[in-house]
């Protein structure tokens, strides 16, 4: 009886993970450009379902939602999977850090702290991974010189070269994206979480 109940709970969670991953995938299509970033970097809300899932069911469920979302997105990739790998690593950092901190003390105050620290961790990982892995690979795939990326943002006068691109474009972009997704998560979590918990 206990074993059957445990399997039921496990199946129930997998169904919820699948639903959240599907919503997350669909949200990837709703994109908002930010003038400070290159045109191929846009804000979406695809991390929100993973954050909600991570908060309600546990950190690794949130990471699993991120994985499924990016595997689904491979069907329409234009980066040879590089963009999806980057999205998974960066998004999983956000979800994992936030969910681990929130799990220790499930209060509104701690959820805010967890999301702030998650945004900081995500932004750091995103900036470093983009600077040394993603942009170099993307430049080879698209046959673009690394310094040419800086010229894609005429509206950001602080961007002069590749280094300032990372400091004044990529890092702020991820902070803004993370902040927006954190606010949406705060608004939706308490309304949705009861249906995700046991």
């Amino acid at each position: 009886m206990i074993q059957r109940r445990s399997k039921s709970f496990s199946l129930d969670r997998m169904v919820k993970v699948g639903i959240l991953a599907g919503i997350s995938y669909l949200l990837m299509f709703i994109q908002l450009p930010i003038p400070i970033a290159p045109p191929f970097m846009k804000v979406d809300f695809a991390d929100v379902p993973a954050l909600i899932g991570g908060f309600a069911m546990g950190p690794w469920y949130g990471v699993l939602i991120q994985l499924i979302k990016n595997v689904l997105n491979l069907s329409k990739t234009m980066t040879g999977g590089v963009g999806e790998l980057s999205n998974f690593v960066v998004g999983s950092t956000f979800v994992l850090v936030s969910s681990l901190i929130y799990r220790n003390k499930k209060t509104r105050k701690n959820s805010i702290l967890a999301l702030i620290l998650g945004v900081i961790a995500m932004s750091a990982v995103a900036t470093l991974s983009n600077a040394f892995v993603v942009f170099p690979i993307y430049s080879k795939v698209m046959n673009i010189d690394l310094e040419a990326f800086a010229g894609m943002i005429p509206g950001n006068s602080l961007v002069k070269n590749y280094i300032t691109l990372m400091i004044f474009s990529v890092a702020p972009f991820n902070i803004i994206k993370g902040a927006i997704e954190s606010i949406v998560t705060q608004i939706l979590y308490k309304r949705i979480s009861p249906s995700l918990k046991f």
Side-chain angles (χ1 to χ4, degrees):
M1 182 71 176
I2 296 175
Q3 186 177 5
R4 185 179 297 175
R5 192 175 179 185
S6 175
K7 286 182 179 179
S8 175
F9 281 173
S10 178
L11 177 61
D12 191 39
R13 288 203 172 193
M14 287 301 101
V15 169
K16 289 171 182 177
V17 164
I19 292 170
L20 288 171
I23 294 171
S24 183
Y25 171 66
L26 292 176
L27 287 173
M28 293 181 81
F29 292 95
I30 303 172
Q31 300 179 336
L32 305 172
I34 294 185
I36 66 166
F40 56 85
M41 293 179 69
K42 296 178 182 179
V43 170
D44 60 47
F45 300 95
D47 290 330
V48 173
L51 285 166
I52 291 173
F55 275 21
M57 297 184 288
W60 295 109
Y61 286 97
V63 172
L64 182 57
I65 291 167
Q66 291 281 17
L67 177 63
I68 295 171
K69 171 193 76 177
N70 281 288
V71 169
L72 289 172
N73 201 56
L74 282 172
S75 63
K76 66 178 191 66
T77 185
M78 293 186 295
T79 64
V82 176
E84 286 70 29
L85 178 60
S86 174
N87 190 288
F88 172 69
V89 171
V90 172
S92 294
T93 300
F94 189 12
V95 171
L96 194 59
V97 171
S98 299
S99 300
L100 283 171
I101 295 170
Y102 179 72
R103 184 176 64 174
N104 295 327
K105 190 177 181 183
K106 297 188 175 183
T107 64
R108 182 174 176 79
K109 184 178 179 180
N110 196 49
S111 70
I112 294 172
L113 174 64
L115 288 166
I116 290 172
L117 293 177
V119 170
I120 293 171
M122 175 193 72
S123 300
V125 169
T127 303
L128 291 173
S129 64
N130 276 309
F132 298 108
V133 180
V134 179
F135 273 58
I137 293 176
Y138 188 70
S139 69
K140 290 182 179 179
V141 171
M142 302 302 292
N143 195 26
I144 301 173
D145 183 74
L146 282 176
E147 293 295 332
F149 285 113
M152 294 181 179
I153 323 168
N156 190 342
S157 60
L158 295 173
V159 175
K160 307 292 186 184
N161 50 42
Y162 187 67
I163 294 175
T164 54
L165 171 70
M166 294 298 148
I167 298 172
F168 297 118
S169 177
V170 174
F173 167 84
N174 283 285
I175 292 171
I176 292 169
K177 180 178 185 290
I180 293 172
E181 290 184 314
S182 295
I183 292 169
V184 175
T185 299
Q186 279 290 324
I187 293 171
L188 296 178
Y189 177 66
K190 288 299 180 184
R191 300 177 184 179
I192 298 174
S193 60
S195 63
L196 297 173
K197 293 178 181 177
F198 300 93

